[in-house]
Amino acid sequence: MNLSNSEINEMYLDVLKELGNIGTGNAVSALAMMIGRKINMKVPVVKMVKLQEVPEILGGAEIPVVGILLNVEGDIEGFIMFVMSQASAHLLVNMLMGTALNGYSEFTEIEKSALMEIGNILAGAYLTALSTLTGFKMIQSVPQLAEDMAGAILSFPAIQFGETGDTALYIETEIFEESSRIVADFFLIPTIESYQKMLKALGVA
Amino acid sequence: MMEIIKVGMADLNVTSYPNALTTLGLGSCVGVCIYDTKTKIIGMIHIMLPYSWGVKNNTNPAKFADTGIPLLIEKMEELGAAKKNMVAKLAGGAQMFEVTRSEFMNIGKRNVEAAKKVLQEQNISIVAEDTGGNYGRTIIFYSEDGRLEIKTIGKGTKTI
């Protein structure tokens, strides 16, 4: 079967959207269980992006954000990164810990742990989805957190793959609970070898 | 009218008085800023990696210290700057995440070291630097007097 590039891209995007949907489904169950309340999530955007475009997606290189980074090893190697605005990160922590919004003061150690745990759960949810679709085994590392300018935070994965690839799978996720709306951007940044492996396993390369 | 010209990631630019150059949100990358003290011609490069050799994806010289810095000097010379009047300032090279798996991962530090080595080979002295740490920086480099303004989140602004 000979397919044009655009057809392949179309197919690939469909698979990625499916990955986003399954991953988000997993994540909703995990988060709802953790919080003990019903939450809703949706995936408004799934696409492949160039790492250099990412700061613009986040609102500019200087925008203060919270980044949670995990290393992925196994059949697919790379990084997972969650990026949230400080406002969203505070809402998420409050949701999780049942506390009221205390302004956007610095996160306490407990709040940071809570955020990293959320990173862990969400990463697990997306990796399980990816594993289901591809059959690949993947292991995630302990998450790390940094609060800083979007450009600075993104420079870490961008540099790691400045040597090889420079493409990330981008899934924008919205979490709703009552009147709260949290937007978290999820980036899967595979090495160039893993990227090709992933495409192949997803049946589009 | 002074214009502030942006330099993107893995990019470089040169300009002359009265303009300024800026790069936003430097993390582990290093901003190398060169100033010609006579002509007030300035140049800035936002390097991501130390060396281009051994790297498959190395078509953009501005990505690396070893290929980018000489290119930056060349562009400044084309504009009328002279190497003997050039001095340099460095900023960036932070370690944004505590990845301790190996020294290799501290790319910020390696970027700073490479930038220094290349500048030394080019006989350009470094007159000021603000590097390392675990925080991001936005820098603005003024042709007026070669001052480099460094903005951070939560750590204020300083000028070197």
Side-chain angles (χ1 to χ4, degrees):
Chain A
M1 183 167 57
N2 277 323
L3 291 173
S4 71
N5 266 345
S6 65
E7 279 169 325
I8 289 175
N9 285 340
E10 198 89 336
M11 273 174 68
Y12 187 47
L13 263 184
D14 281 345
V15 179
L16 291 182
K17 281 191 182 134
E18 190 53 22
L19 169 66
N21 284 327
I22 298 175
T24 304
N26 291 349
V28 170
S29 322
L31 262 185
M33 213 185 287
M34 201 170 165
I35 299 171
R37 290 196 300 274
K38 192 172 154 29
I39 54 166
N40 290 306
M41 281 172 92
K42 67 168 184 172
V43 181
V45 182
V46 181
K47 59 181 174 185
M48 297 303 299
V49 294
K50 293 265 171 220
L51 277 175
Q52 286 173 2
E53 295 165 7
V54 170
E56 291 314 310
I57 294 172
L58 299 173
E62 278 189 294
I63 294 288
V65 295
V66 176
I68 301 164
L69 182 82
L70 298 96
N71 201 1
V72 178
E73 282 172 5
D75 293 333
I76 297 287
E77 295 190 336
F79 288 99
I80 285 181
M81 189 151 204
F82 291 97
V83 185
M84 280 171 280
S85 68
Q86 286 177 321
S88 277
H90 275 283
L91 278 170
L92 197 56
V93 161
N94 295 338
M95 192 189 276
L96 191 75
M97 300 178 65
T99 49
L101 189 66
N102 60 351
Y104 299 146
S105 57
E106 267 188 49
F107 291 106
T108 62
E109 287 307 309
I110 292 173
E111 288 174 331
K112 282 185 190 168
S113 306
L115 280 171
M116 288 192 272
E117 187 49 29
I118 291 170
N120 233 348
I121 287 171
L122 294 179
Y126 286 112
L127 285 185
T128 304
L130 187 59
S131 184
T132 308
L133 288 173
T134 61
F136 288 139
K137 281 204 180 74
M138 286 156 286
I139 305 145
Q140 69 200 62
S141 73
V142 172
Q144 299 189 56
L145 182 135
E147 292 176 72
D148 214 305
M149 301 177 189
I153 284 185
L154 259 302
S155 73
F156 182 85
I159 285 177
Q160 301 308 318
F161 296 112
E163 294 185 316
T164 50
D166 59 357
T167 308
L169 166 66
Y170 165 55
I171 303 172
E172 187 188 271
T173 308
E174 285 181 17
I175 303 169
F176 300 94
E177 196 232 358
E178 290 171 8
S179 58
S180 305
R181 177 175 168 269
I182 296 160
V183 179
D185 293 306
F186 168 87
F187 298 95
L188 174 69
I189 308 153
T191 62
I192 193 89
E193 293 82 7
S194 296
Y195 179 60
Q196 281 156 359
K197 237 167 115 174
M198 223 169 75
L199 286 182
K200 215 171 174 179
L202 293 171
V204 273
Chain B
M1 256 306 265
M2 185 187 86
E3 200 187 332
I4 301 182
I5 302 159
K6 265 193 200 178
V7 177
M9 193 183 245
D11 196 10
L12 62 82
N13 218 330
V14 295
T15 190
S16 53
Y17 181 80
N19 298 333
L21 293 166
T22 187
T23 195
L24 312 178
L26 275 173
S28 316
C29 299
V30 173
V32 178
C33 306
I34 303 180
Y35 178 62
D36 180 319
T37 54
K38 288 263 169 14
T39 60
K40 296 192 177 184
I41 289 167
I42 55 171
M44 182 188 281
I45 180 165
H46 181 147
I47 58 164
M48 292 175 75
L49 289 163
Y51 300 106
S52 57
W53 34 265
V55 177
K56 276 176 248 165
N57 193 359
N58 68 357
T59 47
N60 175 10
K63 205 179 212 175
F64 309 93
D66 66 340
T67 48
I69 295 172
L71 182 64
L72 181 67
I73 295 167
E74 237 178 82
K75 299 265 182 209
M76 288 177 69
E77 284 170 338
E78 279 169 23
L79 219 62
K83 209 165 160 182
K84 64 175 177 11
N85 301 325
M86 290 181 191
V87 292
K89 293 183 180 181
L90 304 180
Q95 186 169 17
M96 298 307 297
F97 291 93
E98 285 293 323
V99 181
T100 47
R101 264 198 329 168
S102 69
E103 188 57 22
F104 173 79
M105 300 299 263
N106 192 350
I107 196 85
K109 194 174 150 203
R110 286 170 54 223
N111 276 334
V112 172
E113 284 166 2
K116 284 182 177 173
K117 187 162 174 279
V118 176
L119 285 167
Q120 194 185 11
E121 284 164 4
Q122 297 283 337
N123 283 318
I124 294 173
S125 51
I126 299 162
V127 291
E129 69 171 295
D130 180 52
T131 57
N134 61 351
Y135 52 90
R137 295 165 171 92
T138 279
I139 60 173
I140 310 168
F141 191 36
Y142 295 92
S143 62
E144 185 189 4
D145 51 4
R147 74 180 188 279
L148 183 63
E149 197 175 280
I150 299 155
K151 295 181 190 169
T152 60
I153 290 180
K155 290 185 175 58
T157 299
K158 65 168 155 179
T159 304
I160 60 170

